[in-house]
Amino acid sequence: ERVECLFTTPTELRMLQLAGNEPAARYDLSTLDRVFSTGEPLDPALHRWVRETLGTPPRDAWSQSETGVAMIAQYGDDPVTPGCMGRPTPGIEMALVTRSDDGVAPVGDGEVGQIALRAGWPSMFRAYLGDPARYRARFSGDWYLSGDTAQRDEAGELHFVGRLDDIIKTHGYMVGPAEVEAVLNRHPAIAESAVAGIPHAVAGTVVVAWVVLREEPRDPERLQRKLLAFAREALGTAVPPRHILFVSSLPKTPCGKLLRRQLVATMEPLQEDQFNGA
């Protein structure tokens, strides 16, 4: 169809990746100039596959149903950096903030803050149907608080961290699930992964990963140990998952966002001896 621009999600890109490179090789994709992705973080491993297989680097973006359109994007003429989701789009005033009873305060470069937007953009939502209290709770003064967190680097590029209520506090560290998932997704045995915090009898909360494998393992326990070692080497000793579970699929919304709470709901609190990554 001589498609020039594809707007998609990481879930759909991973489905293409699972089909392998051969199907893409049968088609002339020379007209495909731009690929845009939104809905979930676009991890560097998937970014590399899209660039090599579809012939153009994917550009990440950030939006919500509440925002109406993309609020943060990788500009068309900017170098495409894996793991970045770009800068605020023209006309949008955005800040990374912390919230308190006194309002909001900005955070510095490299610090994790909640994505806040100055209210009043043209496509801003006007209500949560039948829930005015929830709508009011999403604002602090003139700022809409998205519930998503990010970091800004020295070049002004934003890096997605995770939902505010998905951030894992473990062993004194604040862990963003997307950070751990991006590392796991680099392993050739893994098609996709999801990470969440699980209550633990001793540690309080530990990082647990659910992974979808590309093929059935001959020795699941050996592969678990290899994956845990792979994550520890990349993330250090405090941040990587302490437990890995193999699943056939991950629960998602219709638009492809991970439903981590459904995964967490399937598990009981872990005991001291229930670490396959100890």
Side-chain angles (χ1 to χ4, degrees), residues 56-91:
T56 186
R59 288 169 165 81
D60 206 352
W62 179 86
S63 65
Q64 293 182 329
S65 299
E66 290 90 340
T67 68
V69 296
M71 298 283 102
I72 300 168
Q74 293 188 323
Y75 285 38
D77 295 329
D78 284 354
V80 181
T81 305
C84 293
M85 60 182 185
R87 299 180 281 130
T89 53

Side-chain angles (χ1 to χ4, degrees), residues 124-140:
M124 188 180 84
F125 75 130
R126 302 302 182 191
Y128 287 116
L129 185 62
D131 198 346
R134 181 186 175 198
Y135 183 79
R136 290 192 298 270
R138 297 301 293 270
F139 292 86
S140 177

Side-chain angles (χ1 to χ4, degrees), residues 59-242:
R59 288 169 165 81
D60 206 352
W62 179 86
S63 65
Q64 293 182 329
S65 299
E66 290 90 340
T67 68
V69 296
M71 298 283 102
I72 300 168
Q74 293 188 323
Y75 285 38
D77 295 329
D78 284 354
V80 181
T81 305
C84 293
M85 60 182 185
R87 299 180 281 130
T89 53
I92 299 301
E93 185 177 353
M94 189 224 74
L96 298 181
V97 304
T98 58
R99 185 180 195 176
S100 68
D101 293 339
D102 297 326
V104 298
V107 302
D109 289 350
E111 298 181 13
V112 176
Q114 185 174 180
I115 298 172
L117 305 172
R118 180 77 70 177
W121 66 93
S123 60
M124 188 180 84
F125 75 130
R126 302 302 182 191
Y128 287 116
L129 185 62
D131 198 346
R134 181 186 175 198
Y135 183 79
R136 290 192 298 270
R138 297 301 293 270
F139 292 86
S140 177
D142 292 335
W143 291 97
Y144 163 70
L145 302 176
S146 68
D148 284 342
T149 61
Q151 294 171 302
R152 182 187 291 104
D153 63 24
E154 293 179 352
E157 292 272 350
L158 292 159
H159 302 250
F160 186 80
V161 175
R163 288 290 299 171
L164 195 62
D165 50 6
D166 285 338
I167 299 297
I168 306 164
K169 299 178 182 179
T170 178
H171 299 289
Y173 291 85
M174 302 286 284
V175 181
E179 172 190 8
V180 183
E181 291 161 2
V183 168
L184 291 172
N185 290 344
R186 295 206 310 255
H187 195 281
I190 293 178
E192 58 180 342
S193 63
V195 169
I198 296 296
H200 184 264
V202 176
T205 303
V206 294
V207 180
V208 173
W210 293 260
V211 301
V212 178
L213 299 175
R214 297 188 182 279
E215 57 184 36
E216 191 73 22
R218 295 181 180 179
D219 188 340
E221 291 185 4
R222 182 171 180 270
L223 180 57
Q224 281 179 330
R225 292 193 297 269
K226 289 178 65 175
L227 293 176
L228 289 161
F230 175 82
R232 278 197 298 270
E233 183 178 357
L235 295 166
T237 58
V239 175
R242 300 294 301 277

Side-chain angles (χ1 to χ4, degrees), residues 48-63:
R48 182 174 60 254
W49 180 87
V50 173
R51 185 186 68 238
E52 294 173 352
T53 307
L54 302 186
T56 186
R59 288 169 165 81
D60 206 352
W62 179 86
S63 65

